[in-house]
Amino acid sequence: MGFKKMSAPLHMLGFLLLQMFLLCKAQTNITTIDWVLEETSYTRLCSTKKILTVNGQFPGPALHLHRGDTIKVNVHNHGTYNVTIHWHGVKQPRNPWSDGPEYVTQCPIQAGANYTYEIILSDEEGTLWWHAHSDWTRATVHGPIFVYPPKGKEYPFAHPDAEIPIVLASWFKGDVMQIIKEALATGAEPNKSDAFTINGQPGDTQPCSNTSMFRTVVDHGKTYLLRIINAVMNEEMFFMVANHTLTVVGIDAAYVKPILNNYIMITPGQTMDVLITANQSSSHYYIAARAFAGVVYSNATTTAILQYSGNYTPPSSPAFPNLPDYNNSLAVTSFVRHFRALATEDHPIDVPQSIQTRLFVTISVNTLPCERKNSTCSGPNGDMLSASLNNITFYTPEIDILQAYYKSIKDVYKADFPDNPQYVFNYTADPMLSNNYTMSDLNGTRVRILDYNSTVEIVFQGTNVLNASENHPMHLHGFSFYLVGYGFGNFDENKSPSGYNLVDPPELNTIGVPKNGWATVRFKANNPGVWFMHCHLDKHASWGMDTAFIVKNGPTRDTSMRAPNYINPC
């Protein structure tokens, strides 16, 4: 007895059912892990306080993934604050719903609730990190993401003998949430941190920290991959290991041509993959980091120990690195100018050569009129300290922008962020004490809409308003961009582009715009959704140095934003 030929409709139905089965099977194979946000007691600098942590850890747990992986993280909020989690540097293709910035792509996870993030890796390879993205909760809620090459593939350099995570962070004796709350209420500069930490420990230059200092043991002759993350709140950091050469091979989970130096400068938000060979005399050597900063900063130095294995008499005073001074801009420039993409057949780049959308964005610390009734504020001239992009101070809405865009909810944002500043002046003039460079009538939740697949160039221009110029680490969610040029002074549209590197510029997600200078980045807007852009000095982000891009859907399902599985309530 033979089989009858299946009719076309039944054949199509069978095909669709098979596809649905395979999709469901693939979805069930995605690993889901549970994290618990909870208050945990920690003792640092001779005092004990409760801090918000993930699973009781500071820094938080590491994610170990391979390029192209997908993982789900179910976050249970057992703390007292509403919180979100951002997967810094993960592009999240077509999936802004899991990007995490509070009131930009989701409303926060309320105390007692939970939310499941789906982290989708694409071409990222190297070190990234995750952190809270609600007010200043990221001070203690952060941790590494290690993205290894695809299974069966190798690094584009000799395989290291081992890897050593290095997480730089800030420690505040006070309650970080109260510190920023008070600063925003009074218009004052927020309190600076009391110490920096390496892997959660301040080091022996700080009180009550000698015995708890982080130590890592190495074998003579072996090479180690340092996975360095700057999770510091408000300072760029110089980092060194005494008597050892550092070889930078990756920045922001993209490979670069090797950079050999005795120090690095890493901005908040940046990550670096750095090789170090234990080729010195067997001994103990200090690992140290301190701020590179322009205005208000913590002058603490954090320390750890690189300790060689074997039998020898430890030194009474280990060799200490000669870190650059906090204001050594030349040291920063001489390091950054070596940033170049690896740009090989296995690790290609795709730099936009022609540009469809150009933005010139000024970055300023400024003031706004005091809003306190019957009282002056604590900022300059009795006003409130603020910050802006293109003279606009960003206001956080009460409903997240992504939900408003997806559901066409009115009056949440305005799609009129300007391509150029509303007020043109000599941006880097010295001195510049006038503070009226924010156009108060334009302040608000203002975003820029980009066409799908359009090529975009942004010139970030630093300013010296209030004599408050400094290195601004600008971070873009949902994308990596190419740093094609940078310089000091005012950008000259007729002369500056002649120095652009369009051959092998580094692919980054965070770039330090030079103090009293400019930086130009390019990217292709091929990731539909809502994506936040902000300064990663948290006080500046809190003051309004932010905006967002809405990238429109492409022409097909695969070039359009995914539908949400769940929208967090506001």
Side-chain angles (χ1 to χ4, degrees), residues 529-567:
V530 175
W531 307 105
F532 201 32
M533 184 175 76
H534 61 96
C535 180
H536 224 285
L537 301 180
D538 271 50
K539 60 183 179 181
H540 293 173
S542 297
W543 287 340
M545 197 177 282
D546 327 281
T547 188
F549 291 110
I550 295 178
V551 179
K552 294 193 291 188
N553 285 335
T556 68
R557 180 177 179 274
D558 289 340
T559 59
S560 298
M561 189 172 66
R562 290 172 40 177
N565 292 324
Y566 173 75
I567 294 179

Side-chain angles (χ1 to χ4, degrees), residues 53-66:
T53 66
V54 168
N55 297 351
Q57 301 175 40
F58 171 67
L63 292 178
H64 296 264
L65 303 169
H66 289 270

Side-chain angles (χ1 to χ4, degrees), residues 44-247:
R44 299 288 185 272
L45 307 181
C46 313
S47 62
T48 301
K49 69 169 187 173
K50 285 190 174 182
I51 63 172
L52 189 62
T53 66
V54 168
N55 297 351
Q57 301 175 40
F58 171 67
L63 292 178
H64 296 264
L65 303 169
H66 289 270
R67 177 172 174 155
D69 280 356
T70 296
I71 189 172
K72 292 184 177 181
V73 180
N74 189 6
V75 178
H76 304 262
N77 187 0
H78 293 180
T80 56
Y81 294 106
N82 298 340
V83 181
T84 64
I85 303 292
H86 169 54
W87 316 92
H88 187 113
V90 178
K91 297 183 180 71
Q92 295 280 29
R94 303 175 47 237
N95 185 35
W97 306 102
S98 286
D99 189 48
E102 179 181 61
Y103 294 112
V104 177
T105 60
Q106 71 171 99
C107 288
I109 309 167
Q110 298 175 13
N114 70 292
Y115 184 83
T116 299
Y117 292 92
E118 185 174 8
I119 299 99
I120 303 172
L121 294 174
S122 52
D123 59 356
E124 306 91 346
E125 192 172 316
T127 302
L128 294 172
W129 65 304
W130 58 267
H131 60 83
H133 214 301
S134 304
D135 294 316
W136 279 24
T137 49
R138 83 162 179 88
T140 55
V141 180
H142 58 253
I145 303 175
F146 303 140
V147 184
Y148 300 98
K151 292 177 181 177
K153 298 286 186 179
E154 264 296 348
Y155 297 114
F157 46 82
H159 196 95
D161 295 288
E163 59 184 37
I164 303 170
I166 299 286
V167 181
L168 307 175
S170 305
W171 184 265
F172 296 81
K173 288 183 178 179
D175 183 327
V176 291
M177 296 295 280
Q178 289 302 313
I179 287 171
I180 186 56
K181 182 179 180 180
E182 181 178 346
L184 293 177
T186 63
E189 178 87 29
N191 292 346
K192 59 190 178 187
S193 64
D194 296 287
F196 300 120
T197 60
I198 295 176
N199 293 348
Q201 297 293 343
D204 62 359
T205 62
Q206 302 302 311
C208 305
S209 304
N210 188 26
T211 58
S212 59
M213 180 168 55
F214 173 73
R215 294 172 180 267
T216 185
V217 178
V218 297
D219 295 331
H220 194 279
K222 290 187 176 181
T223 297
Y224 297 83
L225 178 60
L226 305 182
R227 295 184 174 272
I228 305 175
I229 298 164
N230 187 352
V232 169
M233 293 293 286
N234 290 306
E235 289 93 355
E236 290 93 353
M237 300 293 288
F238 288 116
F239 174 92
M240 292 182 71
V241 181
N243 295 2
H244 288 74
T245 298
L246 304 175
T247 302

